[in-house]
Amino acid sequence: MTLIKKLVLVALVASAGVSANAVYSVPSASAAVVLQQGAVNGDVWDVQYRLRTLGYYEPSIDGKYGPITAAAVRNFQTNYGLNVDGIVGANTWDALRKFSVNQAEMDILAKVIYSEARGESFEGQVAVGAVVMNRLKSSQFANTIQGIVFEQGAFTAVSDGQYNLTPDSTAYKAAMEAVKGWDPTGGALYYFNPRTATSNWIWSRPQTVQIGNHIFAK
């Protein structure tokens, strides 16, 4: 990532009330970067982390694209209907970003879960994470975790500053389960507390389930 890009990202996220350090640490993952055996860089680290969140990669994350990483990529490509070549090109990058998270995004997801649902059951916390992941897969929302979470007014905890609380281990476990595909909400894109919600629009959305204090809806 160039210095100019870093400065732009820092400025954008600072306006949303997020630490500049959180942005600076996000590994670059440009679709133009093609990864194959022999590559050694931060983008490989990113891919390995994403594959681990989905259960495809178990060894230590070392940023080295060897045969084990290539095999994990092939398994991912097979299960997601991609060309199976063990190479991370544009299409594989797109799928990884759509169905997984890197470490910086995992931190964001855990922070949202903790700040929005720390008083809920574990299932209720996973449900909030699932809504974020469902939005990531939907064409109705931004195509990055950052874009979804920091959309103006999307999450109360971001607006009122609770997002800056430090998430606990349960929030991280809930985030991991949501990334792996556990969706207690039945595909919900929204949730709200019926005791405090005043928006007629949110009440008009088709409801899927209530978990704890939140009603989930599409």
Side-chain angles (χ1 to χ4, degrees):
M1 183 182 293
T2 66
L3 178 58
I4 293 175
K5 287 183 178 180
K6 287 177 181 176
L7 290 174
V8 170
L9 280 172
V10 169
L12 286 173
V13 177
S15 67
V18 185
S19 166
N21 290 331
V23 177
Y24 194 86
S25 65
V26 176
S28 63
S30 170
V33 177
V34 176
L35 301 175
Q36 54 191 319
Q37 287 197 57
V40 180
N41 55 46
D43 290 309
V44 177
W45 200 99
D46 186 303
V47 166
Q48 290 173 333
Y49 187 92
R50 289 178 182 276
L51 291 170
R52 173 173 282 186
T53 67
L54 297 174
Y56 291 100
Y57 183 84
E58 295 183 358
S60 61
I61 297 173
D62 57 9
K64 299 176 182 178
Y65 203 119
I68 296 177
T69 300
V73 170
R74 285 194 296 271
N75 289 334
F76 172 79
Q77 291 170 329
T78 298
N79 291 335
Y80 284 83
L82 301 166
N83 180 41
V84 182
D85 57 8
I87 298 172
V88 181
N91 291 336
T92 300
W93 266 125
D94 287 344
L96 282 168
R97 292 192 191 114
K98 189 173 184 179
F99 295 103
S100 69
V101 298
N102 61 24
Q103 186 171 38
E105 292 167 338
M106 181 67 79
D107 290 338
I108 293 173
L109 188 58
K111 286 168 75 70
V112 168
I113 289 171
Y114 184 75
S115 58
E116 290 271 325
R118 60 188 178 277
E120 300 294 322
S121 65
F122 185 69
E123 181 183 20
Q125 293 186 47
V126 174
V128 168
V131 166
V132 178
M133 295 305 295
N134 288 341
R135 291 186 180 188
L136 184 62
K137 299 166 190 173
S138 171
S139 61
Q140 301 177 50
F141 297 90
N143 60 3
T144 65
I145 294 291
Q146 291 93 331
I148 290 165
V149 171
F150 301 123
E151 178 185 357
Q152 185 69 33
F155 292 93
T156 301
V158 174
S159 300
D160 66 17
Q162 292 187 67
Y163 171 84
N164 294 311
L165 295 172
T166 301
D168 59 15
S169 61
T170 300
Y172 275 97
K173 291 177 183 177
M176 182 66 79
E177 291 298 326
V179 173
K180 286 181 178 178
W182 182 15
D183 182 6
T185 75
L189 295 172
Y190 308 96
Y191 62 90
F192 62 97
N193 187 325
R195 294 179 299 178
T196 58
T198 58
S199 166
N200 291 329
W201 180 86
I202 195 63
W203 278 103
S204 73
R205 307 304 302 171
Q207 297 177 13
T208 59
V209 67
Q210 179 163 359
I211 303 174
N213 292 312
H214 289 138
I215 290 177
F216 294 83
K218 293 186 176 180

